[in-house]
Amino acid sequence: LAKTTQPISMDSYEGQEVNITCSHNNIATNDYITWYQQFPSQGPRFIIQGYKTKVTNEVASLFIPADRKSSTLSLPRVSLSDTAVYYCLVGDTGAGSYQLTFGKGTKLSVIP
Amino acid sequence: NAGVTQTPKFQVLKTGQSMTLQCAQDMNHEYMSWYRQDPGMGLRLIHYSVGAGITDQGEVPNGYNVSRSTTEDFPLRLLSAAPSQTSVYFCASSRGRHGYTFGSGTRLTVV
């Protein structure tokens, strides 16, 4: 399982765009990149998943360069409710096995 | 559509007691997993299952047993509770690579 590295914490003001970068130098060919969000006392919540280039949904965008050794989660115009821990995961979802390995995540604090 | 349901939400055990944490999902997901989360830490994988009748160990399996007799249920058994097992336990399910759905967690304290 590929190991990931992301900043421990980040601060942002309300209304700003937040970019959280994750490093995964040992990503394998079959690995997908997935981001989860976790609020205190709740289970993680799936945000976005991608394999290469750019993926966008209603809450975030995920940018993946051609070498796939890093990825960036972009949250547009954050609000106080976006204060949470964000986890970057890399995993192979084929061959009948799909393990998720969580690191410590990035604690995002949104300031009024 | 209930998603992933975990029971109980809170539990206090004495050292040496055994108990079962229940997890049920109604989404017909083939993959299910159990994680534990300690304060200030990420989630660590305990056991996982890729389908009924198939289970395997994760990163921290010692002291825990699982079984998967049906697609819907994936109970986690603590054989002889120890203070080191005080944690928040999350169950999750997934249909392949489409992202895991997590339950709301069980907060376990072993005294």
Side-chain angles (χ1 to χ4, degrees):
Chain A
L1 297 171
K3 186 175 180 180
T4 60
T5 302
Q6 51 184 123
I8 294 174
S9 63
M10 295 180 68
D11 294 334
S12 176
Y13 287 101
E14 271 192 298
Q16 289 188 329
E17 178 185 71
V18 172
N19 296 309
I20 306 175
T21 297
C22 178
S23 173
H24 29 81
N25 291 318
N26 296 322
I27 190 169
T29 303
N30 294 332
D31 286 348
Y32 276 68
I33 301 157
T34 312
W35 286 80
Y36 285 80
Q37 174 192 55
Q38 186 179 27
F39 297 113
S41 301
Q42 294 186 25
R45 182 176 74 102
F46 173 86
I47 301 176
I48 197 166
Q49 184 179 73
Y51 184 81
K52 61 181 179 181
T53 63
K54 177 183 175 182
V55 179
T56 297
N57 62 23
E58 62 276 8
V59 298
S61 294
L62 178 60
F63 299 91
I64 305 168
D67 66 6
R68 303 203 323 125
K69 293 184 182 299
S70 66
S71 59
T72 299
L73 174 72
S74 181
L75 304 173
R77 297 182 298 281
V78 295
S79 64
L80 295 176
S81 63
D82 292 316
T83 294
V85 178
Y86 293 82
Y87 295 97
C88 163
L89 294 91
V90 172
D92 179 2
T93 61
S97 175
Y98 185 31
Q99 298 185 54
L100 295 182
T101 299
F102 286 80
K104 294 186 178 180
T106 297
K107 184 175 183 179
L108 173 65
S109 299
V110 180
I111 306 165
Chain B
N1 189 346
V4 177
T5 302
Q6 290 186 238
T7 56
K9 293 189 182 302
F10 301 93
Q11 183 70 48
V12 178
L13 287 179
K14 293 183 179 180
T15 298
Q17 285 185 317
S18 63
M19 79 159 294
T20 299
L21 279 62
Q22 302 292 343
C23 176
Q25 53 94 6
D26 61 358
M27 298 171 284
N28 200 32
H29 285 171
E30 62 266 34
Y31 301 123
M32 295 187 74
S33 297
W34 276 102
Y35 292 84
R36 62 175 288 174
Q37 186 171 35
D38 301 310
M41 303 287 289
L43 286 80
R44 291 185 291 171
L45 180 64
I46 304 171
H47 286 283
Y48 66 98
S49 169
V50 300
I54 306 170
T55 63
D56 206 345
Q57 296 180 350
E59 179 186 0
V60 288
N62 292 339
Y64 308 94
N65 274 355
V66 292
S67 60
R68 184 96 180 270
S69 57
T70 66
T71 299
E72 294 78 19
D73 299 300
F74 190 44
L76 177 72
R77 281 182 288 276
L78 278 71
L79 309 174
S80 178
S84 61
Q85 294 179 304
T86 294
S87 188
V88 181
Y89 291 84
F90 290 102
C91 177
S93 72
S94 169
R95 187 194 308 278
R97 60 168 60 100
H98 297 292
Y100 266 88
T101 299
F102 282 80
S104 57
T106 294
R107 188 174 298 273
L108 175 69
T109 302
V110 182
V111 298

